[in-house]
Amino acid sequence: MGEKLFLLACFMLLSCSSMGTIDLSQNENDSSYKSIFILAGQSNMAGRGYNSDNSTYPPEYFLSHPQILMLDANQTWKQAADPGLHDGIDKKFVGVGPGMPFANRILMKNPEFGTIGLVPCAHGQTSIMQWMKGNENGLFAQLVNRAKVALQGGGEIKALLWYQGESDALHYEDAVLYGSRLVKFLTDVRADLGLPELPVLVVAMMTGDGEFKMMVREAQMVIKLPHVVTVDAKGAGIKFNDKVHLNKAGSVEVGKRLADAFLEINEEC
C-alpha cells in the first residue's frame, strides 16, 4: 500500500501543472474525458463569417466530428457545429468563427488527441470592462459557471481562448488601460476556477476602425503573465466592406494559428 501511494505521489509531481487540475478518478482513455477549451471575447470569437462571403477556405475545417463537442446554451454537451456554436450565448447574429477550425486543426495534427469539448462564452460588442469580475452584466460569472459545468461531465480545462479588444480601441482611456485590465481579468478567471496556471491564448486583434487599435494590439502582444501566449491575427481575411469581422477564410486562419500555438505549448509541457 505504501509503495502504491509513493508511485501515485511521483505521478502527480511529474504531471504538467500548467494544464489544469486532473481528476484522478478519470484518465484520457475514459469515454467521458474531454479536453475542454473556453472560447471567450467578442464578435470575432463568436463568429461573423458566413457562407456567402466569397472567401476561399478549406471546408474540412468546419466539418462536424464525433470527437468535437460543444456545451450549448442549455449547458448540455452535444456534437459541435458551426454556424451554431454560439447560438443562445451571443444574442446577436452569429456566423462562423475560429472555434471549429481550432478543434479540427488539433485533430488533423493529432488524431489521437481524444475528445475536445468547446465551451462557447463570447459576446459581440463587449469591452474588457464588461468582462471584469463583478460587472452587473454577468459575463464573468457566466464564463466561470459554464466552465465549472463543463468539468462536471468529465475532463479538464486545457486553455482559455481570448479574442477581444475592438471595442476598447474606440476610446483612448480604454486603450491605455487595456493591458492592466486584461491581466486582472485573466488572474480573476484563474482564481475563480482554481487553476492559477491555466494556459491562455490571447489573439492580438488586427481589425476594427477604432482610433487606438494599435495601442490595444500592443498591450495584447506584450502581456506579462505566465502561461499566456499571444497569437497574432495579422493577415487573416476580413469580410468585404467590413473593417471589423473575419470572413470564413480568416476564421480558419486564426483557428489554425490558435491550434498550432496550443499544440506547441502542450508538447513543451
Side-chain angles (χ1 to χ4, degrees):
M1 180 66 177
E3 182 181 358
K4 290 182 178 179
L5 288 174
F6 173 77
L7 291 173
L8 178 58
C10 290
F11 172 79
M12 292 176 69
L13 286 171
L14 290 172
S15 297
C16 180
S17 62
S18 68
M19 303 314 288
T21 302
I22 297 176
D23 181 351
L24 293 177
S25 66
Q26 302 170 25
N27 60 63
E28 296 187 14
N29 295 319
D30 290 343
S31 60
S32 63
Y33 182 93
K34 290 177 284 293
S35 293
I36 297 167
F37 297 91
I38 304 168
L39 311 178
Q42 54 184 112
S43 55
N44 272 322
M45 179 58 83
R48 295 296 187 267
Y50 48 86
N51 289 329
S52 59
D53 64 17
N54 296 320
S55 64
T56 302
Y57 63 92
E60 62 268 23
Y61 280 94
F62 291 103
L63 293 178
S64 292
H65 192 289
Q67 286 178 242
I68 304 176
L69 306 180
M70 58 180 281
L71 190 72
D72 68 14
N74 296 318
Q75 316 248 63
T76 301
W77 286 112
K78 66 180 184 181
Q79 189 165 317
D82 213 11
L85 204 60
H86 275 81
D87 279 0
I89 305 298
D90 185 358
K91 304 301 183 183
K92 305 179 188 303
F93 164 78
V94 179
V96 299
M100 284 296 288
F102 167 80
N104 273 304
R105 175 74 164 187
I106 289 177
L107 294 180
M108 288 174 190
K109 298 193 76 172
N110 183 5
E112 305 302 318
F113 187 81
T115 300
I116 294 172
L118 301 176
V119 182
C121 297
H123 289 260
Q125 294 183 323
T126 50
S127 68
I128 187 71
M129 283 301 294
Q130 291 176 282
W131 285 91
M132 300 301 280
K133 183 176 181 178
N135 189 283
E136 62 183 13
N137 67 15
L139 293 180
F140 181 94
Q142 182 189 65
L143 183 157
V144 171
N145 179 64
R146 284 177 58 76
K148 290 181 177 180
V149 169
L151 286 171
Q152 293 172 9
E156 60 182 299
I157 300 174
K158 293 289 189 177
L160 165 65
L161 279 56
W162 177 254
Y163 193 173
Q164 188 274 337
E166 293 88 349
S167 292
D168 293 273
L170 299 173
H171 305 288
Y172 177 76
E173 182 180 0
D174 290 332
V176 168
L177 295 174
Y178 187 84
S180 61
R181 289 171 174 173
L182 181 58
V183 167
K184 178 68 165 61
F185 165 71
L186 295 178
T187 301
D188 285 344
V189 169
R190 285 170 162 175
D192 278 38
L193 291 177
L195 299 171
E197 296 180 321
L198 174 68
V200 179
L201 304 179
V202 173
V203 178
M205 61 91 173
M206 195 57 192
T207 60
D209 51 9
E211 182 180 353
F212 308 105
K213 174 174 64 178
M214 298 311 293
M215 293 175 63
V216 173
R217 173 178 164 80
E218 179 64 17
Q220 294 167 334
M221 293 291 289
V222 301
I223 183 170
K224 304 295 185 187
L225 270 182
H227 308 294
V228 174
V229 175
T230 300
V231 177
D232 198 347
K234 187 175 183 179
I238 62 174
K239 292 161 65 174
F240 181 69
N241 286 335
D242 187 331
K243 296 180 180 180
V244 179
H245 298 114
L246 301 178
N247 58 23
K248 263 195 163 182
S251 295
V252 169
E253 185 59 36
V254 171
K256 288 168 60 179
R257 294 178 190 179
L258 285 164
D260 291 348
F262 169 74
L263 290 172
E264 182 176 346
I265 63 174
N266 199 39
E267 288 176 359
E268 292 173 355
C269 178

